[in-house]
Amino acid sequence: MYGDQFGAISYDPFSNNLFWVDVHKMSVVVHSLSSSANMVAVSSTSSPLSMVFVPEKNRLVVGENGKISIVQLGNPDVQEIVSYKLSSPGSLVYSAQADAVFIGDAASRAIYRWDWGTEEVVPVLENIGEVVSMAVKDGLLYWVEKSGTSLLWISIYNSELSWLPINDIASPNDLLHLSLSGQDASSNNSANMACITAHCSHLCFNEDTSGHTCSCPYGMSLSRDKMTCQEDCPDNVFSCGDGQCVPQSWKCDGTVDCTNQADEVNCTMVELARCDNSTQSTCDDGACILSSWWCDGDNDCPDSSDEKEDCPALVCGEDRFSCADKRQCVLAHWVCDGGEDCADGSDEADCQVSCPAEQFQCEDR
């Protein structure tokens, strides 16, 4: 698989399915690693901003502007948790210990929490940077911020902030992502893993307690055995020319859907520019980025068109230090901490450090 359509990515070890946000289709796509078949799992009128599959619950959680959606694959009923607090929920992570989903909202500069089974989203930490990725481990919630060069964390039971500079491995221009290694999902003995031994020809989804459901990609339907998919193209679709078909809206959407790539032949850049205006901005080259990333001091468009000379100076909050170029804000307590957090290094300029009598003063002060 290749292309620039991939947003958030998540994996279900109990069905061997991979999920991703397709930024061109404004959908969540499921890909079977067993059969290589693809199917749209969640369609949206706006672009999904984040997504995570929760194996412990057998549910897909999708973040959109103003809400999160809880989806059971193969079930048309979707639970929506609507909240005015959620402006741009760009990062999601589930904590089994807290039985809660933590939500990083870049536009609101906050982290929220949704306790599983409730109807309300509550703030955990506010007035922080733009959270781009989170991870949870042993009762601690970790995250990184856009343009940040520190790993930050709090306990899931309180909001006492800790951080660790990672300047040696990251710069303000890097887009960081957190992930945990060594996670053994198979240790959940109560989980239904029927799909691992099922004989679905294309896609398989586990039921909650036992059993499974076979499903098919677009243009196919289940045969009488309820396991095998057969060709079944509806009218008014795009024919790939080899028996496969896709919706007309998938033609020239920037994602290859036909096995022979026929749906992306002879396409122009104009046809690819289909950004969701409610949450995204369109770069000069047709790429889509979050609206909150426009004129924020970082080059996010591949052609850097989001950071032109006519961008206004950035206004920082009271708890933030304004870098000299007026294009970036960093935490106030990062000023003169020995590590450059501003891209122009102005947070470490003209610093005078005074050490206590029992400590040694380095020559670089």
Side-chain angles (χ1 to χ4, degrees):
M1 295 181 293
Y2 61 91
D4 65 351
Q5 71 270 24
F6 302 106
I9 298 176
S10 191
Y11 175 64
D12 175 19
F14 302 142
S15 65
N16 202 28
N17 288 330
L18 183 70
F19 301 85
W20 69 77
V21 171
D22 189 310
V23 298
H24 297 157
K25 289 183 173 60
M26 295 193 295
S27 302
V28 176
V29 174
V30 55
H31 172 85
S32 170
L33 293 175
S34 301
S35 69
S36 297
N38 291 350
M39 188 184 83
V40 171
V42 180
S43 296
S44 175
T45 55
S46 63
S47 180
L49 301 174
S50 57
M51 172 273 305
V52 64
F53 190 86
V54 182
E56 296 90 340
K57 301 290 186 179
N58 193 34
R59 293 293 187 275
L60 184 70
V61 183
V62 182
E64 300 177 70
N65 184 22
K67 67 180 180 180
I68 57 172
S69 300
I70 295 84
V71 181
Q72 181 183 13
L73 279 305
N75 187 336
D77 296 329
V78 176
Q79 179 189 3
E80 293 185 347
I81 307 300
V82 179
S83 174
Y84 71 91
K85 299 183 182 75
L86 301 179
S87 299
S88 181
S91 181
L92 301 173
V93 67
Y94 173 74
S95 167
Q97 188 171 339
D99 194 21
V101 174
F102 291 92
I103 308 164
D105 195 299
S108 298
R109 293 162 57 102
I111 295 175
Y112 299 104
R113 170 176 173 154
W114 174 66
D115 290 312
W116 203 275
T118 66
E119 297 292 331
E120 187 178 5
V121 171
V122 298
V124 174
L125 206 60
E126 297 178 297
N127 298 318
I128 58 176
E130 296 183 38
V131 177
V132 294
S133 183
M134 298 188 297
V136 65
K137 176 71 172 177
D138 297 333
L140 297 175
L141 174 66
Y142 300 88
W143 74 93
V144 287
E145 298 177 356
K146 191 169 185 289
S147 303
T149 55
S150 291
L151 175 67
L152 304 101
W153 68 91
I154 59 171
S155 166
I156 60 176
Y157 304 109
N158 61 61
S159 299
E160 184 177 350
L161 178 65
S162 301
W163 68 92
L164 176 70
I166 52 175
N167 310 67
D168 292 341
I169 61 173
S171 77
N173 296 322
D174 292 328
L175 185 58
L176 304 176
H177 180 79
L178 298 181
S179 183
L180 297 177
S181 63
Q183 294 278 84
D184 186 11
S186 62
S187 61
N188 186 351
N189 297 323
S190 63
N192 176 23
M193 294 182 280
C195 282
I196 300 300
T197 56
H199 298 286
C200 299
S201 66
H202 285 70
L203 292 139
C204 183
F205 305 129
N206 287 312
E207 302 288 350
D208 280 350
T209 54
S210 64
H212 66 278
T213 299
C214 296
S215 194
C216 300
Y218 184 87
M220 305 189 80
S221 61
L222 281 176
S223 61
R224 290 183 178 180
D225 64 7
K226 299 300 181 183
M227 295 185 297
T228 307
C229 295
Q230 58 189 9
E231 293 180 5
D232 186 15
C233 285
D235 296 330
N236 301 317
V237 297
F238 176 80
S239 173
C240 300
D242 58 359
Q244 185 186 4
C245 60
V246 298
Q248 287 286 357
S249 60
W250 292 9
K251 167 69 175 171
C252 292
D253 70 346
T255 301
V256 173
D257 300 291
C258 293
T259 305
N260 60 11
Q261 304 184 16
D263 58 311
E264 299 300 321
V265 174
N266 299 323
C267 297
T268 65
M269 189 60 70
V270 174
E271 290 176 290
L272 299 182
R274 297 177 180 176
C275 302
D276 176 15
N277 292 331
S278 66
T279 59
Q280 297 177 320
S281 296
T282 305
C283 305
D284 288 351
D285 63 0
C288 305
I289 64 170
L290 289 176
S291 297
S292 62
W293 291 4
W294 199 268
C295 288
D296 70 343
D298 295 316
N299 293 325
D300 300 293
C301 290
D303 61 1
S304 302
S305 57
D306 58 312
E307 300 298 330
K308 295 180 179 179
E309 292 299 325
D310 59 355
C311 282
L314 207 59
V315 178
C316 301
E318 293 182 359
D319 61 332
R320 299 275 158 163
F321 171 79
S322 177
C323 300
D325 60 7
K326 303 299 182 184
R327 307 295 292 275
Q328 187 182 359
C329 303
V330 300
L331 289 174
H333 55 247
W334 288 354
V335 176
C336 294
D337 67 348
E340 292 186 355
D341 301 291
C342 291
D344 59 13
S346 58
D347 59 311
E348 298 300 321
D350 303 322
C351 293
Q352 295 294 325
V353 179
S354 177
C355 298
E358 66 275 10
Q359 294 183 351
F360 175 76
Q361 177 77 58
C362 299
E363 291 184 0
D364 59 8
R365 304 185 68 84

